[in-house]
Structure formats: C-alpha cells, structure tokens
Amino acid sequence: MSKPSNLSRRRVLHVGLAAAAAPLAGCAGLGSGPSIGRVVVVGGGYGGATAARYLRLWGGNVDVTLVERNANFVSCPISNLVLGGHKQMSDITVSYGGLEAAGVKRIQGEVVAIDAHAKEMRLADGRKLPYDRAVISPGIDFMLDQVGGLAAPAAQERILHSWKAGPQTLALRRQLEAMPDGGVYALTIPKVPYRCPPGPYERACMVASYFKQFKPRSKVLVLDANPEIQSKKVLFEKAFADHYKGIVEYRPNNELKSVDAATNTAKLEFDDVRADVLNVVPPQRAADIARSAGLLNMNNRWVGVNWLTMESTAVPGIHVLGDATFSAPLMPKSGHMANQHAKVAAAAIIQLLKGEPVSATPVVINTCYSFVTARDVIHVASVHQYDAAEKTFKTVPGSGGVSAAANQVEGRNALSWAENIWADMLAT
Ligand SMILES: Cc1cc2nc3c(=O)[nH]c(=O)nc-3n(C[C@H](O)[C@H](O)[C@H](O)COP(=O)(O)OP(=O)(O)OC[C@H]3O[C@@H](n4cnc5c(N)ncnc54)[C@H](O)[C@@H]3O)c2cc1C
C-alpha cells in the first residue's frame, strides 16, 4: 500500500485535473542505462496498471508499453455506491497520466491477436508490438450463450450487467432513477466462480439504500443461482434484516435460464419474474483476448498459471493476472488480488529478464470491503502463501477473517483502501 503522501498525489491524477499531470509525461521515458527488455501489458485495470507501474519502479529499466481500450481507469470497487447515489462517476475515474509520468508508454487501443511464436501483438488498427515478455490482465467477458435471449441486441440494450464499471454503471443508475416508486429491481447472480463474490450483495444493499430514502415502496429482488450468499453471509443477512426489511428479498437456488427483453422478464427454472429494472450478472470466463491467444486451459474458461511467475501454463512468455486466472483455492477474483498478482509477476519478469532466479516464497493478501449502508461497511480478509509441494497458493491458517459487525470506522477504511490502491496502481 502507498504512503499517505501519495493520497494527495492521486488527487492530481483525477480526470478533471489530468492536464496538470500531462506535462510530466513528456519528461518521462526510460531511465539511464540500457533496457533489460520489452514488456507489453494488455489491460489497464487492477492487474495491468499495477504491473506496468511496478515493472518501471522495480528496476532494470524495463521498456513497458500498456495497451488499454479506455481513455481512463474506471473502478468497479466503489461503483455500487454510484448505483446507490452516494458517489459520482468522477469519484471512481482516474487518469492514466501518472503511469505515463512513471515512464510507461501508453497506447489507447485494443489488442486483437497475440503471436506467441513471433512474440508480437497485433492491435485493431493494424499496428504490431514486439515483446520479450507479455502481461495480460484483461478481466472477464460474459458467457451470453448460457442465458437464453440475452445475446440479442434488444436484450443487450435494455438488460444491463454493470459488472464492468463505465457506461453501464451510469446507465443502470439512470434506469433506477426512472423506475417508479413501488417498482421491482431484480438482480440475478450467476453460479460461482464470478468476479467479486460479495459484489452482488453489496449492490443489493446500495440499491435498497436508495429505495429506502427515495422510493420506499419499491423492492430489491435478489435471484441467486447459488445455494446461499457467497461471501460475508451472516453479515449480509443481518444487513438485509436490520436495514432493508420489506425492501430486499433474497432467493437462493434461483438460476436464470433465459430473459424476455420485451417484457423485462427473468425466466427461472420454476418461475418467471417480471421486473421494472432487470440487472443480469451473466456467467463469466477469462476475457476474449485470453481465449483467442489459446490461453484457456482450465475448463475452457480460465487461464492456468505458474503461481511463482504468473506465466501461463498453456503458452510460454505470456503472464496472466487477475480475474482471468483459474483461482487458487479460496483466492477471490478481486481488484486487490489482481494488484497482488501483478507484483508477483513484475518481480518475476524483472528477474527472468536479468537471468536471475525468481522468488520461491511469494505471499499475497486480500481485503474486500462491502458497503451495507452509505457509511457502514464489512470486510473479509485473507493471506495466501505459496505451497511448493502443491504448486499453488494456500490460505495461511489463522490469518484473515471477517468483521464482527458492520461499522463506520470500516466505512472510512474502505474509502481509504480505494484511494490507496488507485495511488498504488496509477500514481507516478
Ligand atoms: C460491482 C463490483 C464491485 C467490486 N468491488 C470490489 C472491491 O470492493 N474490492 C476488490 O478488491 N474488488 C472488487 N471488485 C472486483 C474487481 O473489480 C476485479 O476483480 C478487478 O477489476 C480485476 O482486475 P483485472 O485486472 O483482472 O481486470 P479489470 O480491472 O477489469 O481490467 C481489465 C482491463 O483490460 C482491458 N482490456 C481487456 N481486453 C483488452 C484488449 N484486448 N485490449 C486492450 N484492453 C483490453 C479492459 O478495458 C479493462 O480496463 C468488484 C467488482 C464489481 C463488478
């Protein structure tokens, strides 16, 4: 985590003040001495931005290029507060100017192919980028074919996921604002594994907090394909009962089979639910570029990695981070964990480029905060240590745990966590 002094630094990086950071980019570039190698990073989210920055920070004068589709970083953590009306999009949007100032060459674009033999990436505009080592942290894409009717253009337009922060976050907020009091917001949750296990339950709380204040006759219906709440179960159950009785209804074992976009209806195994706002979080897999690069060697869905280096077990020379990986036991798909993957990878890549041995004993940590009201927060934490015999990360017995109860101190900690991790990824 970054030092407190970085917090004020990060404020300079907010989009509104991006211009203030921009001149620094012109002065940046590689430091003195010869480069030890070229690394191309795909995806400027939690994993990719951290990897790009730490490859620069940790030495060896690595030549780092980051390719990201979007102009700015937009955070999924805290995005549920935007849905609840407690934060704005500008609060979760950070400029990439700090990375450029740190010497990362940034390309706004899309990588459409990776040729692992030629060690070259191809961009949508036809440009080619050679690399010595590649890092991809592309996040997730959705398995739309698993939910009947969802892939149709009309469904895609009306039935939002908002499970990637950005335009859909704002669009869902607008649907909630337009919903009449007395309406039903239905949220469907896919079977695990999916991005951010506590995220849907936090979302239910945030939408309910909005309804409680502004549309008190409205309902939040949570249709969960899983048999029970997947993270911080007792604490979320308490939040639903203490704060949102009569507003939130939780239904386990309710797997979405198909949707009817014309009537905004979720079709379940035994039931049809018509909603005023239908928010479908579809089943997920590693993002498209991981699939087209031939990396999906775990259930044809996720990427297997060597946990000492984060290098793909399917295609040499490509290091894969974050949600796209096949998770180690009890390892969550979280922004915090993607940030940790990135540090393991950055250290290992520098050592590999220098011909040195990589660390044999990595340890990574995770904390996920969830807002249950605009101010009360709960957390779950864990420590994961590499186990040489089983070649995977395993949780350290007795480490981590969950909050005793929702509280406002953790509310402040959660906002500090976000400020700090954004600075850790994106400051100079
Ligand atoms: C509602 C919600 C709340 C959450 N809350 C928390 C929380 O409180 N704490 C927490 O730790 N985690 C939280 N998460 C989870 C967290 O957002 C993810 O685990 C994290 O973003 C994963 O990082 P990543 O680098 O794998 O992917 P991402 O952060 O999604 O980054 C992937 C990036 O790659 C880019 N990209 C993909 N393919 C290409 C390509 N071909 N070319 C160029 N660019 C490409 C995308 O544009 C994107 O910017 C939450 C998630 C959601 C949805």
Side-chain angles (χ1 to χ4, degrees):
M1 281 296 171
S2 306
K3 290 194 283 287
S5 59
N6 276 356
L7 292 178
S8 53
R9 171 77 195 135
R10 192 195 71 77
R11 294 192 185 286
V12 180
L13 303 175
H14 259 301
V15 178
L17 294 175
L24 288 172
C27 313
L30 293 175
S32 57
S35 163
I36 61 168
R38 280 176 306 203
V39 179
V40 177
V41 180
V42 183
Y46 274 86
T50 309
R53 181 162 181 263
Y54 275 83
L55 281 162
R56 293 291 307 159
L57 287 183
W58 277 345
N61 200 12
V62 182
D63 182 342
V64 182
T65 302
L66 172 69
V67 187
E68 164 60 51
R69 284 187 191 118
N70 299 321
N72 297 297
F73 168 79
V74 185
S75 175
C76 283
I78 313 294
S79 69
N80 282 331
L81 276 81
V82 177
L83 297 179
H86 310 301
K87 292 280 178 195
Q88 305 297 316
M89 289 303 288
S90 57
D91 296 318
I92 60 169
T93 304
V94 186
S95 156
Y96 285 116
L99 282 184
E100 290 170 297
V104 174
K105 296 170 187 160
R106 184 171 67 91
I107 296 176
Q108 187 183 350
E110 167 133 10
V111 173
V112 291
I114 304 177
D115 181 339
H117 291 293
K119 292 196 160 185
E120 194 173 73
M121 301 212 188
R122 188 160 51 80
L123 274 63
D125 64 8
R127 269 184 287 178
K128 292 187 172 162
L129 290 176
Y131 64 80
D132 297 309
R133 294 211 163 249
V135 175
I136 74 164
S137 193
I140 48 142
D141 274 312
F142 301 110
M143 300 158 83
L144 296 179
D145 56 335
Q146 307 259 313
V147 179
L150 191 58
Q156 286 293 293
E157 209 170 296
R158 184 171 190 190
I159 302 171
L160 306 176
H161 53 77
S162 304
W163 217 239
K164 296 181 183 186
Q168 285 221 357
T169 312
L170 200 55
L172 181 57
R173 172 67 193 166
R174 295 215 167 107
Q175 287 189 353
L176 293 167
E177 284 171 345
M179 194 187 91
D181 189 11
V184 173
Y185 160 77
L187 168 65
T188 73
I189 307 173
K191 282 194 174 140
V192 281
Y194 59 81
R195 155 177 284 186
C196 192
Y201 313 104
E202 178 188 60
R203 178 168 291 183
C205 290
M206 287 299 92
V207 175
S209 74
Y210 168 60
F211 289 171
K212 190 174 173 176
Q213 197 178 355
F214 295 103
K215 303 186 179 184
R217 295 187 299 113
S218 306
K219 296 271 175 278
V220 173
L221 185 54
V222 184
L223 303 167
D224 195 340
N226 299 289
E228 59 181 6
I229 291 174
Q230 291 302 299
S231 178
K232 300 175 256 195
K233 176 173 181 257
V234 173
L235 293 164
F236 275 118
E237 283 173 344
K238 189 164 163 46
F240 293 167
D242 288 356
H243 298 288
Y244 309 117
K245 205 171 169 52
I247 299 180
V248 172
E249 181 184 337
Y250 176 73
R251 295 188 195 166
N253 294 313
N254 270 249
E255 186 173 10
L256 181 66
K257 299 290 181 192
S258 63
V259 293
D260 179 354
T263 56
N264 235 15
T265 301
K267 293 176 179 283
L268 311 158
E269 200 173 0
F270 302 112
D271 212 1
D272 284 0
V273 171
R274 199 176 174 285
D276 296 279
V277 176
L278 180 55
N279 178 194
V280 169
V281 179
Q284 296 152 33
R285 57 165 170 75
D288 289 345
I289 188 65
R291 184 165 69 173
S292 65
L295 297 167
L296 304 196
N297 59 347
M298 305 303 279
N299 309 327
N300 200 24
R301 199 170 165 190
W302 306 108
V303 182
V305 293
N306 171 349
W307 290 108
L308 288 178
T309 58
M310 303 303 297
E311 189 168 357
S312 155
T313 51
V315 182
I318 303 180
H319 301 252
V320 184
L321 317 175
D323 290 356
T325 58
F326 182 74
S327 304
L330 300 176
M331 181 179 271
K333 292 192 182 301
S334 74
H336 198 152
M337 188 51 73
N339 166 280
Q340 299 283 288
H341 289 173
K343 290 172 185 173
V344 172
I349 288 169
I350 289 169
Q351 283 154 336
L352 291 167
L353 289 172
K354 287 180 171 171
E356 296 171 357
V358 303
S359 167
T361 55
V363 177
V364 295
I365 58 170
N366 183 73
T367 306
C368 276
Y369 292 100
S370 301
F371 283 80
V372 298
T373 73
R375 281 202 282 272
D376 296 292
V377 163
I378 56 181
H379 83 270
V380 57
S382 50
V383 180
H384 307 252
Q385 187 164 35
Y386 184 72
D387 182 302
E390 298 196 28
K391 293 190 166 49
T392 190
F393 278 104
K394 292 173 78 176
T395 49
V396 175
S399 69
V402 297
S403 313
N407 63 85
Q408 296 193 1
V409 172
E410 289 194 43
R412 291 193 288 278
N413 291 347
L415 295 175
S416 299
W417 172 88
E419 294 272 326
N420 277 299
I421 201 161
W422 296 338
D424 191 47
M425 298 159 57
L426 294 163
T428 48

